[in-house]
Amino acid sequence: MMNKKCECGRVNPYGTEVCGSCGKPLADPDSNRLLNMRYEGAARRSQTYSTSIIDKIWNFFSSVKVGIGIIIVTLIASSLGTIFPQEMFIPPGETPEVHYAEEYGALGQVYYAFGLHNMYGSWWYMLLIAALGVSIIIASIDRFFPLYKALKSQRVTRHKSFMKRQRIFGTSRVEDVDHTFEAAQDLLKKKRYNIREENGHILAEKNRWARWGPYVNHIGLIIFLIGASLRFFPGMYVDENMWVREGETEVVPGTSGDYYVENQGFTYEEFDEDDEIFADGMEASAALQFEETFRTDAVLYTPEGPLGVDQELEEVDRHPIEVNDAFHFDDYALYQVDYKLDELKELSFEVEDTETDEVVGSFTVDLNEPDDTYALDNGEDVRIHSYFSNFYMNDEGVPTTENDVPDNPAFIFEMVNPDTEALEHTFLGIQANYNVSPDQEENRYEFALDGLDTNDVTGLTVRKDNTLPYLIAGGAVFLIGLIQGSYWPHRRIWLQRNDGEVWLAAHTNKHWVSLKKDIDAITKETGITAPRDQIDDEYEKGEDKDNS
């Protein structure tokens, strides 16, 4: 693969179609076809080398078709992830496999089995994003640098074949060539063209920077993709839900244990039905609830001292969290998004000796942190054999729990019969109380619900987004490139002297009608014969053939 030396003396890289200096066509020099000016005929690696593995990889990712294919596959994959909610949006505490099967049936099971429930963090989706980024980078490098070098090194004096093979080209004879060139030059300057002169020839160029619009687009996309990818790096992005019961303190998710929040009280208020302002609307929608406000009185803590069970918490700040009034601290924010009123907190039980019909004791179970054993007044102990915070029977008829939320608590209590020394087991739940002892003999001790206590639970969302500046910057750069490449055309007009004739050629990457208007102004002002649009000429010839 040898470099090509042009008659003007410039050595062009192998694969160059048009000399980067004088513009002489090096590929098909005797052809009359119009020159492909998209990349100024410069040699591109993807169109030149294809022998090594690196060349094949480069050629694959530099292809526009491959890039579009990757975009289509990414869009399809992204849309599949929106069919059902992602795992992060299902109710806290629920098992994803069970949730998707119960809520969405067979489709939900397939959705979970293929990993679509956590798609945007999956390795294969990240691989798609990486492939898209690589395609954009390689395609940009493959095209930008040859185009930049070609435009930077272009001379004013162009080869005759270059002039003839431009879309707009014409020749004319004028009485005073010098006066004609001066008049044309003055007019082009008024139209804000940059004028370069060489050997009496003129190159008028305008808006070369508009050619870089697509590559500015690509830079914006790369920045945007980097920002999107950074969301999966620890500490860069947090979007977690947390539930905090009244009076409890929980670690704030995503803070690596650096912050804790306490729910000192939850307030729920509805609009007053007697208020005349809201009466009509509330009466029309009687079945709906109208919350005026729900608020969490939150206190923020940070741990002090050495790590351990007895680590102390130091108050940092406190703030009432309401909808549209988040609790901001460090780079984090706590938003009020949900609540749960009157969640079961404690259940109290009485134990009766069936032989004496006397209550031998009572005990209270904390449904969130139950003890293993409870002592009764008669000296006997009650042991919790099994606890199901949200009880249900599975398909095999085995008692289990759906999650850790005590919405439907049930227990299997165990006691020792003092007469037989045998273990007695009693299943006790809401509207359920029966003997589950292995021998099925009547239990001596019976359990009965004696009371309950509830509390309110607040639902908060923890958010932190250090990737937002990247996303904003990427979007802004992309829009700049879009405007730059869409609204300003790169225009060039060549005026050359040739044996008493004036040769005029012109090219633009878009908006040919506007370029023709500039040329019409030149021809009217200077008397130069209007050049032809060679594409229009070919079209007219084709119509003539069809008509004949």
Side-chain angles (χ1 to χ4, degrees):
M1 295 183 179
M2 302 294 291
N3 293 335
K4 295 183 179 181
K5 186 174 182 179
C6 180
E7 63 185 34
C8 68
R10 179 182 175 84
V11 178
N12 296 281
Y14 176 82
T16 302
E17 297 179 356
V18 177
C19 176
S21 179
C22 70
K24 178 184 177 181
L26 302 178
D28 296 330
D30 299 326
S31 173
N32 291 323
R33 290 186 297 107
L34 298 182
L35 292 176
N36 183 358
M37 297 290 288
R38 175 172 293 182
Y39 304 108
E40 303 294 312
R44 290 164 48 204
R45 174 170 180 162
S46 62
Q47 305 297 318
T48 306
Y49 303 100
S50 60
T51 54
S52 67
I53 295 296
I54 294 178
D55 293 336
K56 295 181 184 300
I57 294 174
W58 183 276
N59 296 345
F60 176 80
F61 282 107
S62 66
S63 170
V64 174
K65 293 181 179 178
V66 171
I68 293 174
I70 294 174
I71 292 174
I72 292 174
V73 172
T74 304
L75 290 175
I76 293 173
S78 300
S79 62
L80 290 175
T82 63
I83 295 176
F84 299 128
Q86 292 287 289
E87 181 180 347
M88 67 176 68
F89 298 113
I90 68 175
E94 290 196 9
T95 305
E97 183 177 7
V98 175
H99 174 80
Y100 285 102
E102 290 184 349
E103 292 291 328
Y104 310 110
L107 284 178
Q109 290 179 311
V110 173
Y111 196 79
Y112 178 82
F114 280 92
L116 299 178
H117 66 291
N118 192 21
M119 191 190 70
Y120 302 111
S122 61
W123 65 269
W124 60 269
Y125 188 80
M126 296 303 298
L127 193 62
L128 274 177
I129 298 298
L132 179 59
V134 170
S135 176
I136 292 173
I137 292 173
I138 290 180
S140 299
I141 293 174
D142 187 67
R143 291 161 174 79
F144 171 77
F145 288 102
L147 177 61
Y148 174 79
K149 291 178 182 178
L151 290 176
K152 184 178 180 181
S153 62
Q154 66 176 338
R155 289 173 50 193
V156 175
T157 304
R158 306 303 272 177
H159 195 273
K160 292 181 179 180
S161 296
F162 176 88
M163 299 285 286
K164 291 178 179 179
R165 293 173 66 176
Q166 294 299 312
R167 174 174 169 175
I168 294 180
F169 172 71
T171 63
S172 60
R173 288 192 174 274
V174 295
E175 295 181 359
D176 189 343
V177 175
D178 292 336
H179 176 74
T180 300
F181 270 56
E182 289 178 5
Q185 183 172 337
D186 292 339
L187 181 62
L188 290 170
K189 284 182 178 179
K190 291 179 181 178
K191 292 184 175 294
R192 299 182 180 180
Y193 280 83
N194 294 319
I195 307 298
R196 291 171 57 196
E197 294 185 73
E198 180 185 87
N199 300 327
H201 308 308
I202 292 176
L203 167 59
E205 187 174 13
K206 186 177 183 180
N207 300 333
R208 182 193 296 185
W209 54 270
R211 293 289 288 274
W212 317 135
Y215 309 104
V216 175
N217 281 349
H218 292 174
I219 292 173
L221 285 173
I222 292 299
I223 296 173
F224 191 90
L225 290 176
I226 290 173
S229 301
L230 286 175
R231 290 192 166 203
F232 299 97
F233 283 77
M236 292 297 295
Y237 180 78
V238 177
D239 188 358
E240 300 280 353
N241 295 322
M242 65 181 301
W243 293 85
V244 188
R245 298 177 176 88
E246 281 185 312
E248 293 189 0
T249 302
E250 299 287 346
V251 63
V252 179
T255 64
S256 302
D258 292 337
Y259 292 100
Y260 290 75
V261 65
E262 178 188 3
N263 177 6
Q264 286 198 329
F266 181 78
T267 303
Y268 172 83
E269 297 176 356
E270 293 184 1
F271 286 107
D272 187 0
E273 296 182 0
D274 298 328
D275 193 328
E276 295 181 358
I277 298 177
F278 306 104
D280 294 339
M282 296 178 68
E283 183 178 351
S285 306
L288 302 177
Q289 286 184 317
F290 293 88
E291 299 97 340
E292 181 176 2
T293 184
F294 47 100
R295 178 178 61 253
T296 302
D297 295 323
V299 180
L300 185 70
Y301 299 96
T302 186
E304 291 292 328
L307 294 174
V309 178
D310 298 328
Q311 189 177 30
E312 295 184 357
L313 298 178
E314 180 180 351
E315 181 178 335
V316 176
D317 196 5
R318 57 178 62 210
H319 181 79
I321 307 175
E322 298 185 31
V323 178
N324 300 325
D325 186 10
F327 189 174
H328 295 273
F329 59 95
D330 203 354
D331 291 331
Y332 300 90
L334 285 171
Y335 293 89
Q336 183 75 63
V337 294
D338 206 350
Y339 60 88
K340 184 178 181 181
L341 302 178
D342 300 324
E343 180 186 83
L344 290 174
K345 177 183 180 183
E346 296 177 340
L347 290 180
S348 298
F349 301 94
E350 282 187 346
V351 182
E352 180 182 346
D353 188 338
T354 58
E355 293 185 359
T356 63
D357 292 332
E358 294 181 354
V359 176
V360 297
S362 62
F363 61 97
T364 300
V365 179
D366 185 337
L367 298 178
N368 297 303
E369 295 181 356
D371 296 330
D372 293 331
T373 305
Y374 296 89
L376 301 179
D377 296 339
N378 66 346
E380 299 290 339
D381 290 333
V382 178
R383 189 175 78 87
I384 296 181
H385 178 276
S386 300
Y387 169 49
F388 312 100
S389 55
N390 198 357
F391 165 76
Y392 78 101
M393 283 287 191
N394 62 18
D395 296 336
E396 289 77 26
V398 177
T400 185
T401 184
E402 186 174 353
N403 50 48
D404 296 332
V405 181
D407 288 335
N408 184 27
F411 304 86
I412 296 179
F413 292 120
E414 181 181 273
M415 287 190 68
V416 177
N417 188 320
D419 295 333
T420 63
E421 298 297 325
L423 291 176
E424 296 181 353
H425 295 87
T426 302
F427 179 88
L428 188 63
I430 296 177
Q431 296 182 345
N433 187 343
Y434 45 89
N435 178 8
V436 291
S437 298
D439 54 14
Q440 292 297 310
E441 294 183 3
E442 185 177 351
N443 289 339
R444 176 172 176 176
Y445 296 105
E446 288 187 352
F447 292 78
L449 183 63
D450 187 43
L452 58 86
D453 189 16
T454 63
N455 63 357
D456 297 331
V457 187
T458 184
L460 305 175
T461 291
V462 187
R463 287 188 183 147
K464 172 186 177 181
D465 195 352
N466 287 342
T467 68
L468 198 57
Y470 294 90
L471 301 179
I472 294 175
V477 172
F478 179 84
L479 289 176
I480 291 172
L482 183 64
I483 296 171
Q484 176 181 347
S486 299
Y487 292 97
W488 285 275
H490 176 212
R491 301 176 186 173
R492 282 173 291 174
I493 299 174
W494 292 273
L495 286 169
Q496 296 195 176
R497 308 166 187 255
N498 186 28
D499 297 332
E501 290 184 333
V502 176
W503 285 29
L504 187 153
H507 179 267
T508 182
N509 62 328
K510 61 172 65 70
H511 302 164
W512 286 89
V513 173
S514 298
L515 177 63
K516 290 178 181 179
K517 289 181 179 179
D518 290 346
I519 294 175
D520 288 342
I522 295 174
T523 58
K524 290 178 181 178
E525 184 75 20
T526 62
I528 297 175
T529 304
R532 307 185 317 275
D533 185 333
Q534 301 194 69
I535 288 183
D536 290 344
D537 291 347
E538 292 178 3
Y539 178 74
E540 291 174 359
K541 290 178 182 178
E543 281 194 337
D544 292 340
K545 288 182 179 179
D546 293 339
N547 294 331
S548 62

